[in-house]
Amino acid sequence: MGEAVDTARAGAHEAPASARETEPALRTRSLRKTYGRTVAVSDVNLTVPRGAVLGMLGPNGSGKTTTIRMLLGLTEPTSGSVELLGHRIPEHTGRALPLVGSLVEGPGFHPFLSGRRNLRRCAAVEPGLFGSDTDTAVEQALERVGLSEAAERRYRSYSLGMKQRLGLAAALLVPRELVVLDEPTNGLDPAGTREIRRVIADLHADGTTVILSSHLLSEVENTCTHAAVLREGTLIAQGALDTLLESTGPSLLVTVADTEEGLRALREADLPVSQENGDLRVDLSDNRAPEVIAALVRAGVEVHEARRERAGLEDIFARLTEGET
Amino acid sequence: MRRRSIALTASAGIAAGALGLTSLALPAGAQNPRLPTTTPQELVASVLESGRAPAMAGTVTVHNRLGLPALPGTEEAGEFLSGGQKSLRVWSDGERGYRMSVPTSQGEVTVVDDGNTVWKWTSSERTVVKHHTGEGEPGTRRDDTPAENPAELARGLVGKLRDSSEVTVDGTTRVAGEDAYELVLTPDPGERTKLREVRVAVGAEHRIPLRVEVNTNGSGEPALSAGFTRLDFGRQDPELFQFTPPENARVRTADPEEGNHPEGEQRQRANSTSRLVGDGWDTVVVSELPRQATRQEDTAEREHAGSPENPRGILDTIGEPISGSWGHGRVVDTAAGTAVITTDGRVAAGAVPRQVLTEALRNS
Amino acid sequence: MNGMVSRVEPPSGVRRNGPAPFWRVVRSELGWVLRRPRNLLALFGLAMLPVLIGTVLTLTDSAGSGPSLFAAMAGNGLVLPVFSLMMTQNLLLPLVTAMVAADALAGESAHGTLRGLLLAPVGRVRLVTVKAIGVASMIVLAVGVITLSGVLTGLTVVGGDGLVTLSGTTLPLGPALGRVALAAGWCAVQMAAVGAVALAVSAATEHPLLVMAVTVGGLIVFGVLEAFPNLEWLKPVMLTTDWYSISDVLSDPIRSQDLLTGLWRACCYILIGFSAATARMATKDT
């Protein structure tokens, strides 16, 4: 009997191992979720390559969390399919989820139990842990998030940041192939946020795929290799961060003495200009910088400084999501 | 989808559970058995001779829709007559041993007849009443055998009614798993009664009555039915027919002649002053109320009116006034019978319309 | 934040496929149920009840009056556990049962921990099974605590060795304890029926209070419906119908008919409740 089980195990291990190099960590096809007449997510085709750190961006209500819940089998899609680490979700959550650590919709723990007891409870249901490993894993996870000292205190008495860190500890109880973090820096102070970034960077260095949802653009820009932007349930952009940023052309930021004058001069010259913090921003996709400076000088506007700038994620996000507002 | 199939299986579980519950609500439908034909006379004879039941254990369920108020001084019989459903258990060793156990609101009343002594245990009072019967006929225990027993009930009814009835056999039925004949007594055309018929299911194998139903005019459901819901024939544990009073129980020996037994006293009196007017279906019982009850009324202790000790008080609260050449009083009409209580302390009751009662009062 | 070390060697355990061992999950669940302060408080309260009843019984001489069975209890200590079960089974035990069942799924959902369990992952059917075992264990404990406290109080405070049955026979201590155990077992099955239905409600909501309200409210509605004679036809399907029959274990021989009917009915309720809880969990978006 034991032999049979072992063979079955070996067999089950083989498929994902051989597919590992080629299969993406996550692939969804035409993912759609409706609640009654409300469409929460529609036609999402998202692919996350192995080893990527994907930032999911989108304003509140854009379907980020619903999408994540469908990825993890918490919510059943109305239509479409999810393949997580090569396993179909929600049919094979049992095979995929042991390899996935997650912190979704905030940390969930029991207030009347201590941090350690809460984590032990998580460890007890963790398929990847056996025997004495359970306790070791709990202690290591507590140490990793800096909660060893507070482990005996009841969860009730934890600060928001400590709660968040305990949630992270639960997600990282065992080594994972994929880690899904939903708004991981919520409630953390700047130091805590930095630490989370370090954890993500380490996971990335280990080759772990990370999916991160956030409304903090700078966070995504700093930590992610890939980004996906959702608006009103639709995936409007996805890809490697570099590619995304390059798809939007560079611009020239000009500081002038009289902004009004400069604005008028450039508009007369038919140059795409906008005002930004008292400076002028000119899109350089179709124009060259000398032309802009020349136009200003011709109109007698004093130019103090001009510098080329690559578009930030903020610009892309603003441009992509402003659409109907 | 896997989740769908789980949900589907689970729904089947819900359905199975619901079905299980409904099976409790639905009566077990059984085919009426085919039995060799028999004559009404044969069945009547076996009912009347059914004094000696074979060794058995059974549960008798009584449904009562007579609509009578609880009458005083009747104890079990009173509880028996008051409305509702109850079930009691009976055991018999086929010889002289007999045991009966009746649940009450406060516990249980158990009657054990070991052949020489009848023990009556009332758990709520922790009392035992001992009654020596000696080496008499088995019938001597009848006083303590309440009318619930279908055999006793059937014997009483069939004995009184057969001469004024059309007696027929109406096919077969099953009672508590036993095949049975349905003996039906219908009043002769001249009988003035509220009853439509009396049905007695007589067991085919042992020829003892298993169920009695009293049906009234204008109602599909029997006004009174008493029948076995469970019945097992076979040798019973002899321990059942022995009784040792528990340690700290009050034990009293009942001696009917002594007369200090309230229940016995009242029964004695009721017997001595009541008589039957008419016969068959329109028999009317006319009796004098126990003196105590009348006296209470005379001294106008109105606050006791309606208390269970005062039958007239009960009638005052539920009956309606009636008067005639026989005097005046109050009358209670139910589906199965009528009762009149007069101001001078006479009571007339029977399964008859009221003018039969007033006639009986006039003639008494 | 200094302690937040980011690189920790993974535990040396060998990765294996398949879910976490079933009994480890059950043990963890039981530990969770029994660490909850209010559950312990409830058990303590239930244990005190027979002591209270026994004391009242010996201090006051109220033979012949009071609730049914009360009279049978004087000097007859082993009636006390049965009486205590009968008294608590109407409201207190269902309340405790509903409380635990409410915590089991609705409570976990409200704390966000249900998500954690599903993401571990604990399979949904397995989760309902584990939760049902948790609720059942608490029921057994609650009933056991009442029974044990009742037996001890009965034997020491009320007195009597053996049991005078309602039928007037005297049972020696051994069989008498057997009767008490029978009553406890029967009561536990009835409570399991309450628990199964409560678990189904618990699976359908994330408000623990709603579970308790629906469960206890449902029992009260049954009680009200029982009072209407024209709703007699409903009686066979109402869970509470035979609950007073628990005192039938005190008859000699045992009056088994209603007990068996009640048992069958409770089993139907358990099947319905458990199936409904499973169905809801299987399709639930959490």
Side-chain angles (χ1 to χ4, degrees):
Chain A
M1 149 129 196
E3 212 169 310
V5 171
D6 284 340
T7 343
R9 271 180 199 146
H13 251 308
E14 243 160 42
S18 63
R20 179 168 293 187
E21 311 310 320
T22 52
E23 284 273 335
L26 168 76
R27 177 155 55 205
T28 73
R29 290 198 182 89
S30 309
L31 202 56
R32 183 184 171 84
K33 179 74 186 178
T34 53
Y35 295 101
R37 282 190 186 163
T38 321
V39 180
V41 171
S42 94
D43 205 33
V44 167
N45 292 292
L46 180 67
T47 307
V48 182
R50 297 253 175 192
V53 178
L54 174 87
M56 272 179 107
L57 289 170
N60 291 335
S62 60
K64 280 179 307 204
T65 300
T66 309
T67 306
I68 286 184
R69 291 159 57 86
M70 283 192 281
L71 303 185
L72 297 173
L74 288 174
T75 297
E76 204 171 341
T78 311
S79 63
S81 67
V82 178
E83 233 170 82
L84 190 68
L85 301 172
H87 300 287
R88 280 179 67 89
I89 303 291
E91 290 86 343
H92 298 136
T93 40
R95 289 190 204 152
L97 289 185
L99 308 170
V100 178
S102 50
L103 172 56
V104 185
E105 287 183 280
F109 293 102
H110 288 288
F112 67 95
L113 291 179
S114 67
R116 178 175 283 129
R117 286 258 177 244
N118 266 308
L119 269 197
R120 285 215 178 130
R121 207 166 168 250
C122 297
V125 296
E126 188 61 62
L129 289 174
F130 290 93
S132 59
D133 285 348
T134 338
D135 288 348
T136 326
V138 166
E139 295 313 316
Q140 287 182 353
L142 283 169
E143 207 183 317
R144 169 182 283 203
V145 298
L147 281 177
S148 294
E149 307 260 306
E152 275 307 302
R153 272 167 59 191
R154 289 193 172 185
Y155 180 71
R156 194 198 302 282
S157 68
Y158 280 16
S159 70
L160 205 54
M162 290 165 90
K163 290 178 177 174
Q164 194 75 12
R165 284 194 274 153
L166 192 65
L168 196 63
L172 302 177
L173 260 177
V174 289
R176 312 283 193 182
E177 287 186 21
L178 171 69
V179 174
V180 179
L181 303 173
D182 186 16
E183 305 278 357
T185 51
N186 248 5
L188 290 186
D189 54 11
T193 310
R194 265 202 308 281
E195 292 292 344
I196 294 276
R197 279 194 204 137
R198 252 179 62 198
V199 170
I200 294 172
D202 286 337
L203 288 170
H204 180 53
D206 286 347
T208 308
T209 315
V210 179
I211 295 177
L212 176 77
S213 92
S214 183
H215 59 267
L216 295 175
L217 298 166
S218 58
E219 191 176 290
V220 171
E221 201 170 349
N222 286 330
T223 49
C224 296
T225 63
H226 288 67
V229 184
L230 280 162
R231 191 187 67 196
E232 289 170 359
T234 317
L235 189 63
I236 51 174
Q238 68 167 316
L241 201 56
D242 291 343
T243 324
L244 274 180
L245 292 175
E246 271 160 23
S247 72
T248 336
S251 58
L252 188 70
L253 210 59
V254 194
T255 314
V256 290
D258 188 341
T259 324
E260 291 296 309
E261 276 291 306
L263 207 58
R264 199 176 323 124
L266 291 175
R267 278 189 182 144
E268 275 168 10
D270 268 339
L271 290 164
V273 65
S274 60
Q275 203 176 338
E276 195 180 295
N277 301 331
D279 294 339
L280 299 173
R281 182 183 282 279
V282 186
D283 187 0
L284 289 186
S285 314
D286 304 322
N287 310 285
R288 295 193 316 118
E291 283 170 27
V292 179
I293 307 290
L296 285 169
V297 174
R298 259 201 310 276
V301 180
E302 217 174 301
V303 176
H304 289 250
E305 192 190 352
R307 57 185 185 279
R308 288 177 76 103
E309 230 182 42
R310 214 177 70 155
L313 197 51
E314 200 135 354
D315 306 306
I316 302 171
F317 186 67
R319 198 162 323 143
L320 287 170
T321 53
E322 72 198 354
E324 281 138 56
T325 44
Chain B
M1 301 226 82
R2 195 158 154 264
R3 286 187 190 176
R4 298 267 155 72
S5 69
I6 293 171
L8 216 64
T9 316
S11 306
I14 297 174
L19 210 66
L21 280 185
T22 354
S23 78
L24 288 174
L26 296 176
Q31 286 262 305
N32 287 343
R34 285 168 173 270
L35 294 172
T37 47
T38 182
T39 62
Q41 290 72 30
E42 231 182 301
L43 288 180
V44 167
S46 49
V47 166
L48 295 179
E49 286 155 17
S50 65
R52 188 170 290 230
M56 57 98 187
T59 305
V60 176
T61 302
V62 182
H63 287 274
N64 184 329
R65 297 177 196 84
L66 288 174
L68 284 183
L71 287 176
T74 45
E75 205 145 297
E76 302 117 79
E79 274 194 32
F80 161 60
L81 283 170
S82 61
Q85 178 191 340
K86 81 180 190 186
S87 68
L88 52 139
R89 296 182 297 164
V90 291
W91 293 264
S92 165
D93 67 355
E95 308 279 320
R96 298 175 45 83
Y98 180 83
R99 181 191 180 95
M100 181 193 71
S101 147
V102 191
T104 64
S105 58
Q106 280 290 320
E108 196 174 287
V109 172
T110 297
V111 177
V112 178
D113 183 350
D114 61 15
N116 297 318
T117 315
V118 176
W119 306 83
K120 181 177 164 205
W121 155 261
T122 308
S123 76
S124 55
E125 291 158 10
R126 300 172 80 77
T127 54
V128 178
V129 178
K130 220 161 95 178
H131 184 88
H132 288 283
T133 51
E135 295 290 323
E137 294 292 303
T140 45
R141 65 167 183 251
R142 220 181 262 174
D143 263 2
D144 290 280
T145 316
E148 281 101 330
N149 191 334
E152 305 289 337
L153 193 61
R155 188 176 354 183
L157 284 172
V158 172
K160 285 202 180 72
L161 298 180
R162 63 179 160 153
D163 289 338
S164 53
S165 307
E166 192 195 339
V167 186
T168 51
V169 180
D170 181 21
T172 59
T173 186
R174 276 180 82 83
V175 178
E178 295 284 316
D179 293 345
Y181 295 99
E182 281 257 57
L183 182 68
V184 182
L185 283 78
T186 324
D188 282 340
E191 298 293 311
R192 297 172 298 174
T193 175
K194 286 186 157 187
L195 304 182
R196 189 174 80 231
E197 63 182 19
V198 169
R199 286 180 166 262
V200 181
V202 184
E205 192 184 346
H206 297 277
R207 293 292 167 123
I208 55 166
L210 301 178
R211 184 177 64 204
V212 177
E213 287 175 346
V214 176
N215 289 301
T216 59
N217 289 318
S219 170
E221 282 193 284
L224 175 71
S225 90
F228 284 101
T229 43
R230 258 173 55 167
L231 186 55
D232 298 305
F233 290 105
R235 215 180 90 81
Q236 299 301 315
D237 183 359
E239 290 268 312
L240 284 171
F241 309 104
Q242 301 295 323
F243 190 82
T244 315
E247 233 166 73
N248 49 1
R250 274 178 291 155
V251 183
R252 197 175 52 209
T253 308
D255 187 355
E257 277 118 64
E258 209 175 277
N260 62 355
H261 181 196
E263 188 193 327
E265 183 183 26
Q266 233 160 38
R267 234 180 231 173
Q268 287 289 107
R269 251 190 235 177
N271 287 343
S272 62
T273 54
S274 70
R275 60 203 181 75
L276 303 178
V277 179
D279 60 3
W281 295 81
D282 43 14
T283 304
V284 172
V285 183
V286 179
S287 56
E288 302 277 335
L289 272 184
R291 221 172 304 141
Q292 194 193 4
T294 324
R295 196 170 55 235
Q296 255 179 15
E297 188 65 17
D298 288 345
T299 48
E301 283 182 72
R302 281 286 171 185
E303 63 263 50
H304 286 291
S307 72
E309 288 79 34
N310 190 341
R312 198 180 297 183
I314 292 167
L315 281 178
D316 275 349
T317 56
I318 62 164
E320 51 180 282
I322 187 175
S323 59
S325 55
W326 44 270
H328 48 261
R330 299 182 81 85
V331 62
V332 177
D333 257 316
T334 74
T338 313
V340 169
I341 183 161
T342 63
T343 41
D344 56 8
R346 286 178 299 159
V347 177
V352 291
R354 31 176 109 162
Q355 80 262 24
V356 182
L357 287 189
T358 52
E359 270 171 33
L361 282 171
R362 195 160 42 235
N363 299 339
S364 70
Chain C
M1 301 305 288
N2 302 337
M4 202 147 149
V5 183
S6 45
R7 294 295 296 269
V8 175
E9 282 305 303
S12 57
V14 187
R15 275 293 184 83
R16 284 199 256 165
N17 273 337
F22 183 68
W23 291 110
R24 187 174 80 193
V25 179
V26 169
R27 210 169 51 233
S28 154
E29 173 72 14
L30 294 186
W32 173 70
V33 169
L34 293 178
R35 276 204 186 86
R36 176 152 279 207
R38 65 162 175 240
N39 289 356
L40 297 176
L41 210 66
L43 286 180
F44 177 76
L46 289 176
M48 283 301 103
L49 205 80
V51 178
L52 188 75
I53 298 174
T55 315
V56 167
L57 186 73
T58 42
L59 292 185
T60 59
D61 180 32
S62 50
S65 63
S68 70
L69 275 196
F70 206 69
M73 215 160 30
N76 201 8
L78 287 178
V79 176
L80 181 65
V82 179
F83 179 77
S84 305
L85 286 173
M86 191 164 85
M87 290 291 104
T88 46
Q89 133 183 297
N90 280 328
L91 201 61
L92 282 178
L93 273 175
L95 197 70
V96 172
T97 307
M99 185 172 85
V100 182
D103 286 339
L105 290 171
E108 293 257 38
S109 189
H111 281 124
T113 43
L114 190 64
R115 230 173 15 240
L117 294 172
L118 290 174
L119 287 176
V122 182
R124 289 171 181 241
V125 177
R126 178 179 273 236
L127 181 65
V128 177
T129 312
V130 168
K131 289 297 180 182
I133 292 176
V135 174
S137 309
M138 183 67 185
I139 290 171
V140 168
L141 268 178
V143 171
V145 150
I146 294 175
T147 311
L148 192 69
S149 158
V151 167
L152 293 181
T153 312
L155 290 181
T156 54
V157 179
V158 185
D161 53 324
L163 172 73
V164 177
T165 64
L166 290 180
S167 309
T169 52
T170 309
L171 291 180
L173 190 63
L177 287 177
R179 296 294 181 95
V180 172
L182 194 68
W186 191 83
C187 176
V189 174
Q190 299 300 319
M191 288 309 113
V194 175
V197 174
L199 200 63
V201 182
S202 191
T205 176
E206 52 181 56
H207 305 289
L209 262 183
L210 190 69
V211 180
M212 297 182 50
V214 168
T215 311
V216 176
L219 292 179
I220 291 172
V221 167
F222 277 173
V224 171
L225 292 183
E226 255 175 72
F228 288 101
N230 22 355
L231 292 179
E232 185 105 349
W233 56 273
L234 258 182
K235 269 194 170 180
V237 300
M238 292 200 289
L239 183 60
T240 49
T241 299
D242 281 324
W243 275 8
Y244 279 109
S245 307
I246 193 173
S247 60
D248 287 359
V249 301
L250 297 177
S251 283
D252 194 31
I254 295 174
R255 189 183 291 276
S256 57
Q257 205 167 11
D258 290 351
L259 288 174
L260 289 174
T261 312
L263 204 61
W264 169 258
R265 185 182 292 122
C267 288
C268 290
Y269 268 86
I270 291 173
L271 184 61
I272 292 175
F274 185 76
S275 302
T278 313
R280 185 72 196 102
M281 268 314 285
T283 51
K284 184 182 187 170
D285 284 354
T286 39

